[in-house]
């Protein structure tokens, strides 16, 4: 039960720290207000991916010329396209085709793309003595490598000496196998997560209507014009002050298992979606008085007349303090026919 506290001019504020605020209402802030703290985190991580490139017919690729290459298909990592370039005669003229060269290139538009790379020439003897050049696990002191624009590369001009490569376990059946891993660096700021849940419109009326139609859980029957109709006390009492008083009031009917309704025809009372009814209206099977007025005006007239007759016979059953509980009316004294 709520209480109303009246101000005593001689009393002091309950919260002393707010006394100055009460005295000076023009103040924009209070000394007892709690400061607001917000947080955010800068996150830097890599988006990783890899591609395996098989170079078949190595011996036929020799002699294609210094600075010329065979390229893998492009692959995407971190939102950028990449390609592996293998130079059988080397990339640099000064080496005079003594070495093979291997590079990873940015194959899409981009500026200042920061990434970690790993180039691996696979040992095909099963001994797993792979030749690996990697940034992963031991990032360079200067940080990730930066590719300035499309076509920028990272790799090795002198990746492997050609004479040594051709007698090694890396070459098998005139094929080489290269694996390339790329870790694109991305940074972002993460703040508090705000979750939004879309709340669907209520369909409780439809649910009540379906409950009434199934007949499950009914606990009261109405006898109307020789026919019996089952319903739910709580729903009726919630929707109608008349039924609330009749089913749960101090002067409720002695027999609340079966209530006889006088001066009404069964079609007006029974459940039906095609034509409105009292039970249908109370259980939200129909959409209010507008629907009643348009679809079945005669039913609306009978419904109002019946409720009015019941309301006129309502009496004051009991009093609690200054508040009267009326049979057929709400606590503000409005009649049922005005509320339905």
């Amino acid at each position: 039960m709520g209480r109303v506290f009246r101000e005593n001019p001689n009393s002091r504020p309950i919260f002393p720290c707010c006394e100055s605020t009460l005295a000076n209402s023009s103040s924009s802030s209070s000394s007892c207000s709690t400061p607001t703290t917000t947080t955010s985190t800068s996150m830097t991580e890599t988006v990783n991916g890899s591609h395996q490139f098989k170079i078949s017919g190595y011996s036929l690729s020799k002699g294609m010329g210094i600075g010329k290459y065979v390229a893998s298909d492009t692959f995407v990592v971190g939102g950028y396209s990449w390609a592996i370039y293998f130079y059988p005669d080397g990339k640099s003229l000064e080496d005079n085709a003594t070495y093979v060269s291997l590079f990873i290139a940015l194959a899409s538009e981009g500026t200042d793309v920061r990434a970690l790379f790993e180039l691996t020439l696979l040992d095909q003897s099963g001994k797993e003595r792979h030749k690996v050049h990697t940034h992963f696990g031991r990032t360079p002191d200067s940080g990730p490598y930066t590719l300035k624009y499309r076509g920028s590369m990272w790799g090795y001009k002198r990746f492997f000496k050609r004479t040594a490569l051709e007698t090694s376990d890396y070459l098998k059946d005139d094929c080489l196998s290269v694996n390339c891993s790329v870790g694109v660096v991305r940074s972002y700021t993460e703040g508090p997560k705000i979750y939004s849940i879309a709340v669907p419109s209520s369909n409780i009326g439809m649910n009540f209507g379906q409950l009434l139609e199934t007949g499950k859980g009914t606990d009261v029957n109405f006898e109307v014009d020789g026919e019996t109709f089952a319903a739910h006390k709580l729903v009726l009492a919630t929707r109608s002050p008349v039924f609330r008083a009749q089913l749960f009031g101090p002067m409720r009917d002695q027999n609340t298992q079966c209530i006889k309704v006088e001066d009404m025809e069964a079609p007006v009372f029974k459940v039906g979606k095609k034509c409105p009814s009292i039970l249908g209206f109370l259980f939200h099977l129909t959409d209010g008085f507008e629907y009643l007025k348009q679809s079945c005006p005669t039913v609306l007239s009978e419904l109002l007349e019946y409720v009015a007759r019941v309301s006129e016979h309502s009496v004051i059953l009991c009093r609690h303090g200054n508040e009267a509980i009326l049979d057929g009316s709400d606590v503000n004294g409005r009649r049922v026919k005005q509320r339905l």
Side-chain angles (χ1 to χ4, degrees), residues 128-148:
E128 297 190 358
R129 295 176 180 175
H130 312 304
K131 181 174 178 61
V132 182
H133 293 275
T134 184
H135 289 156
F136 291 93
R138 50 181 185 86
T139 306
D141 295 338
S142 58
Y145 193 80
T146 301
L147 300 181
K148 295 292 185 180

Side-chain angles (χ1 to χ4, degrees), residues 215-284:
K216 293 180 179 179
T218 56
D219 52 3
V220 62
N221 292 315
F222 289 90
E223 185 182 332
V224 185
D225 196 21
E227 293 188 43
T228 302
F229 307 100
H232 303 80
K233 290 181 183 179
L234 288 177
V235 179
L236 292 172
T238 301
R239 294 280 286 145
S240 166
V242 174
F243 285 121
R244 182 162 61 247
Q246 191 170 14
L247 296 170
F248 296 103
M251 297 297 290
R252 64 181 177 274
D253 292 350
Q254 295 300 316
N255 181 15
T256 57
Q257 298 303 313
C258 185
I259 298 174
K260 189 170 185 179
V261 179
E262 304 287 352
D263 302 325
M264 179 171 286
E265 295 181 2
V268 179
F269 197 86
K270 70 198 278 186
V271 177
K273 287 185 177 178
K274 292 183 179 178
C275 189
S277 62
I278 288 180
L279 284 182
F281 174 70
L282 292 175
F283 279 75
H284 291 219

